[in-house]
């Protein structure tokens, strides 16, 4: 029997918990995505993600990764990748993936109050400078150390309930600059109108 994307998240234990707590009927016919085609616009704007891994013993770990919009790339119908920038050099994610490829990506867009959950497997690619440069955001001042490639098994979106709406500082600066430009233009028009009276 082929495993459906929804089976990745809704394991027998999860289904049992849903049944016990009364929500199984809601999720009985639910399906999740695997193809990334529908996520292309969302992923193109991602500035930040959380990558969850676990050691061979199951010890979980979550690592933040970020960069300018577009740092996370879709490189195949079911494949994501990003240049992993040099950081604190703890290499917990790298070590975990060496012994347990199971991984999870959590994407959050606070401005639009949207979140995407992605289950799959990940691997680290070291020493491929051509791939690093291909995935490196143009003009971004960071040094790629390796690449993380993520094979998607399932993805799902969540409702906006309980997501606080927040805006990235760059977006706020751009909106304020646009507003200030409009105000200056209107003030100039008003001054010209008054001078003509």
């Amino acid at each position: 029997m082929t495993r459906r994307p929804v089976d990745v998240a809704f394991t027998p234990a999860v289904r049992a918990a849903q049944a016990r707590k009364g929500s199984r009927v809601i999720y009985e016919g639910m399906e999740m995505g695997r193809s990334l085609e529908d996520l292309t616009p969302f992923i193109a704007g991602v500035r930040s993600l959380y990558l969850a891994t676990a050691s061979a013993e199951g010890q979980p770990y979550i690592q933040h990764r970020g960069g300018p919009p577009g740092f996370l790339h879709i490189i195949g119908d079911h494949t994501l990748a990003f240049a992993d920038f040099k950081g604190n050099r703890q290499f917990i994610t790298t070590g975990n993936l060496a012994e347990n490829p199971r991984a999870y990506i959590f994407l959050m867009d606070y401005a639009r109050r949207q979140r995407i959950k992605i289950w799959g497997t990940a691997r680290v690619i070291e020493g491929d400078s051509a791939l690093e440069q291909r995935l490196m955001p143009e003009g971004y001042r960071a040094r790629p150390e390796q690449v993380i490639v993520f094979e998607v098994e399932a993805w799902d979106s969540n409702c906006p309930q309980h997501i606080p709406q927040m805006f990235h500082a760059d977006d706020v600066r751009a909106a304020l600059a646009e507003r200030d430009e409009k105000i200056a233009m209107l003030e100039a028009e008003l001054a010209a109108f008054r001078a003509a009276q």
Side-chain angles (χ1 to χ4, degrees):
M1 181 175 161
T2 304
R3 185 163 81 154
R4 300 173 307 145
V6 73
D7 296 333
V8 174
F10 291 177
T11 63
V14 170
R15 285 185 170 95
Q18 290 170 345
R20 190 177 75 253
K21 293 184 173 279
S23 66
R24 184 71 204 130
V25 68
I26 298 168
Y27 295 110
E28 190 66 50
M30 181 181 172
E31 190 49 82
M32 292 181 179
R34 182 161 182 254
S35 170
L36 295 169
E37 183 178 354
D38 293 338
L39 293 182
T40 301
F42 187 95
I43 288 174
V46 165
R47 288 182 166 112
S48 178
L49 64 83
Y50 292 92
L51 175 63
T53 60
S55 67
E57 293 79 33
Q59 179 61 50
Y61 179 71
I62 296 176
Q63 178 67 56
H64 173 265
R65 292 293 188 259
F71 88 95
L72 179 62
H73 298 262
I74 297 175
I75 62 169
D77 194 39
H78 311 301
T79 309
L80 297 167
F82 59 93
D84 196 21
F85 309 131
K86 186 172 181 173
N88 62 19
R89 307 191 56 76
Q90 291 181 344
F91 299 114
I92 298 171
T93 296
T94 301
N96 284 350
L97 290 175
E99 60 186 16
N100 179 1
R102 307 295 314 152
Y104 177 89
I105 290 177
F106 186 82
L107 304 173
M108 179 71 86
D109 181 339
Y110 286 101
R112 293 173 187 82
R113 299 178 65 225
Q114 296 175 320
R115 57 188 162 196
I116 303 292
K117 307 172 294 184
I118 308 174
W119 292 263
T121 58
R123 67 186 187 280
V124 175
I125 298 176
E126 297 179 23
D128 189 336
S129 58
L131 182 59
E132 288 174 3
Q133 289 309 309
R134 178 180 152 211
L135 298 174
M136 190 65 194
E138 189 174 333
Y140 191 57
R141 300 182 74 104
R143 195 174 114 219
E145 183 155 33
Q146 57 195 16
V147 168
I148 295 184
V149 176
F150 190 98
E151 300 294 338
V152 175
E153 292 183 27
W155 67 264
D156 189 34
S157 59
N158 273 115
C159 71
Q161 187 177 18
H162 308 301
I163 300 175
Q165 190 169 40
M166 296 184 285
F167 298 93
H168 192 276
D170 290 343
D171 295 337
V172 172
R173 274 191 288 276
L176 291 176
E178 183 179 333
R179 181 211 56 193
D180 292 347
E181 186 178 316
K182 285 181 182 177
I183 289 172
M185 181 186 72
L186 291 170
E187 286 176 341
E189 287 178 11
L190 182 58
F193 176 77
R194 285 180 176 156
Q197 295 300 312

